[in-house]
Structures are given as structure tokens and as C-alpha cells.
Amino acid sequence: MPNPKHKTSKTRRDKRRTHIKLSAPTTVLCPQCHEAKLPHRVCLSCGTYKRRQVIEVKEG
Ligand SMILES: [Zn+2]
């Protein structure tokens, strides 16, 4: 079976992963309620998309 001939050192492994990181998701402000929301998605706090009511929002 093909196997790596040498173990990858922690340094080499971590260097390979330097560009692998989490980034904060992009948010836009809802034109209706001005809450932060994900772009191209229904606003979860007022249930509108393109100023149209599309889902019911349960009041907590
Ligand atoms: Zn909204």
C-alpha cells in the first residue's frame, strides 16, 4: 500500500494550514427592521425579503 515515507512534522503540518482559518460571516442591515442579517436571505427578525413579508415570525 502507498504510504508516506516520512512523518510530517508539527511545524510542516501547521505551516500548510496557515491559510486555513475561520472568518466572520458577512452581514448586511435589513432595510425593514435594520437588524444585521445574512445577504440574500430572509431576515429572521422581521421575516421579510425585498420588503415583502415571506415568513411568519413568532414573537418570543
Ligand atoms: Zn428585518
Side-chain angles (χ1 to χ4, degrees), residues 22-57:
L22 288 176
S23 64
T26 308
T27 57
V28 295
L29 291 183
C30 172
Q32 202 73 29
C33 66
H34 305 287
E35 282 278 341
K37 71 173 195 70
L38 294 174
H40 308 119
R41 276 154 187 88
V42 173
C43 175
L44 292 176
S45 59
C46 65
T48 63
Y49 187 70
K50 291 200 171 174
R51 293 191 176 269
R52 245 167 9 95
Q53 195 75 36
V54 286
I55 54 166
E56 292 296 318
V57 180

